Amino acid sequence: PDDHLYEKIAQHQLASRVLTHFQDKLGYEIIEYTLEDDLRPGNPIPDCDIAIFFIHDWPTIHEDPNWLKGFIDIFDKIPVTVPTKDQVFSIFTKTNYLSKLIPVLRKEGCMQPTKIVSKELDLDNIVEWALQLDEKKVVTKENFSAGKEGVTELKIKPIAALKEDLRRTRLSLQETHRQYPFFDPKFIIQKYEKRFLTEPEVRIFFSNGVFLYAVSHVGWVGDVQWPIRVSSGDVKQELKVIKELVFTTMPDLQKYPLLRIDFGPQAQLNEIEMWPDMFGGPNLDLTGSEWSNFLNTVAKGIIAQGTSLLAEKRNDRNESPLNNTGAYSLDTKEN
């Protein structure tokens, strides 16, 4: 299957359900604003009460930092957004959520050896830590990146080369932060998982903390390597980790209308995504009653969050709606 086309269709179907409610039930005027055709050339987003984002692909810090800055600025221009700015930063600043989860998950053996590298951290200590790993490589992961783009593999030896690579990475990210202050320059360094290309990765979907479905695949997803669905019984250990460790440590994760949590071998946490590839839904082909139920569940979560935030905003201001206008943002990139 064409991954990009599948995700684009899925987002349009989800948007249709949400926007129909806001238009027909609540009387909102709907305006479409796309990241590719509107935001990239710098067209201002119209004044509106609420902006709801339906996104598969999004501007990253590597692709175009100015474009990403424009995207982040939207959250300060619109009174209400779904998701909220705090929700976006909580997930896309990977070092943020991992700083909370690493101590808990590492204690239970549910995560690869992982460190967060800050401006102040002594790189000699990181090199010494890496030398104790039973592996020849480590990987670094940056904030506000996606997929392969933000991941770099580094050889542990020679030691001097590793330290220099880490130094350059840190300097580069600090320079990015200087130019774009919203960007957190900390980064992750983790033991390389060589089983990634030979053993399944599990991706588990939730809506407001409720399990929806799970898929599994080996290696990078592509036209010839499509995930397969797995049952809740096949991911008992991962679900236990999520319920007892992840959601307990970060209960606000249960407030996302759509969230995906990914695990590598032996139920070890890989990452968390809030605008995830859905891979065609439970049946992997955008069809069937389960797919329709999935869309309805996620749509209800988005609608509930949006209407609740609107009510809070109006109560705070003690006024009526600005103009009863809602904008929604769609990613239409073809790459």
Side-chain angles (χ1 to χ4, degrees):
D2 183 330
D3 180 37
H4 180 81
L5 179 61
Y6 261 48
E7 301 308 330
K8 189 174 180 180
I9 292 172
Q11 291 292 347
H12 275 276
Q13 291 183 2
L14 178 59
S16 176
R17 283 165 165 76
V18 174
L19 301 179
T20 296
H21 180 90
F22 273 90
Q23 188 170 41
D24 295 350
K25 303 292 185 181
L26 302 178
Y28 277 79
E29 175 189 354
I30 304 301
I31 302 170
E32 180 177 352
Y33 182 89
T34 70
L35 300 185
E36 180 71 30
D37 298 327
D38 296 308
L39 179 62
R40 185 191 280 272
N43 299 332
I45 189 168
D47 290 337
C48 56
D49 290 293
I50 181 172
I52 303 174
F53 294 87
F54 302 93
I55 300 175
H56 161 229
D57 206 357
W58 52 281
T60 69
I61 197 69
H62 295 275
E63 185 174 17
D64 188 334
N66 289 318
W67 190 16
L68 177 57
K69 181 181 183 302
F71 173 63
I72 295 299
D73 286 346
I74 290 176
F75 293 88
D76 295 321
K77 296 176 180 178
I78 306 300
V80 171
T81 64
V82 178
T84 66
K85 183 177 181 179
D86 285 346
Q87 285 180 316
V88 171
F89 271 77
S90 178
I91 297 300
F92 282 101
T93 306
K94 298 176 184 178
T95 54
N96 183 346
Y97 70 78
L98 285 179
S99 66
K100 302 170 185 175
L101 292 177
I102 287 172
V104 177
L105 297 181
R106 283 295 299 144
K107 182 179 179 181
E108 300 297 328
C110 300
M111 189 172 193
Q112 286 279 66
T114 305
K115 295 283 188 182
I116 294 176
V117 182
S118 63
K119 178 181 178 181
E120 299 79 18
L121 194 61
D122 188 341
L123 293 183
D124 285 330
N125 291 340
I126 292 296
V127 171
E128 184 63 30
W129 168 83
L131 287 171
Q132 297 175 21
L133 302 175
D134 184 23
E135 186 52 66
K136 296 180 179 180
K137 293 189 290 185
V138 291
V139 295
T140 61
K141 300 179 181 180
E142 304 169 11
N143 290 318
F144 282 93
S145 59
K148 302 177 185 178
E149 178 187 70
V151 177
T152 302
E153 297 179 8
L154 300 176
K155 293 182 179 179
I156 294 176
K157 293 182 179 181
I159 297 173
L162 173 60
K163 185 175 180 180
E164 179 62 15
D165 287 338
L166 293 174
R167 186 188 70 83
R168 291 182 178 181
T169 297
R170 186 159 66 178
L171 285 176
S172 174
L173 297 179
Q174 287 172 359
E175 175 59 22
T176 300
H177 170 70
R178 187 189 68 80
Q179 297 182 52
Y180 304 95
F182 70 85
F183 175 76
D184 190 327
K186 294 191 291 290
F187 64 97
I188 300 156
I189 183 169
Q190 190 172 59
K191 179 181 178 181
Y192 175 73
E193 177 53 86
K194 57 188 174 185
R195 293 175 295 178
F196 173 74
L197 297 176
T198 59
E199 295 188 25
E201 179 179 28
V202 174
R203 304 187 176 197
I204 305 176
F205 295 81
F206 292 87
S207 179
N208 295 109
V210 177
F211 170 78
L212 298 176
Y213 68 97
V215 299
S216 174
H217 67 91
V218 177
W220 299 107
V221 175
D223 294 344
V224 297
Q225 178 60 48
W226 197 245
I228 60 171
R229 184 178 180 181
V230 292
S231 71
S232 58
D234 294 324
V235 291
K236 284 183 179 179
Q237 186 60 34
E238 288 83 357
L239 291 174
K240 182 178 180 181
V241 171
I242 293 169
K243 180 181 179 181
E244 297 182 3
L245 301 178
V246 177
F247 284 165
T248 300
T249 305
M250 298 185 65
D252 283 350
L253 291 177
Q254 297 174 87
K255 297 179 181 180
Y256 286 75
L258 180 59
L259 195 74
R260 197 186 76 204
I261 305 181
D262 300 348
F263 288 85
Q266 297 179 314
Q268 294 191 336
L269 179 75
N270 185 3
E271 63 181 345
I272 301 174
E273 295 195 16
M274 58 175 290
W275 281 312
D277 287 0
M278 292 176 271
F279 308 116
N283 294 321
L284 308 175
D285 59 5
L286 302 172
T287 65
S289 60
E290 286 185 290
W291 171 241
S292 180
N293 291 337
F294 165 80
L295 290 175
N296 289 336
T297 297
V298 177
K300 287 178 181 178
I302 294 172
I303 292 167
Q305 182 177 6
T307 53
S308 175
L309 291 171
L310 283 167
E312 290 177 12
K313 183 66 66 174
R314 289 167 187 161
N315 287 337
D316 290 343
R317 294 177 175 178
N318 194 26
E319 61 183 32
S320 59
L322 299 174
N323 49 27
N324 231 40
T325 302
Y328 73 102
S329 175
L330 277 170
D331 164 53
T332 58
K333 293 193 287 184
E334 299 300 331
N335 58 351

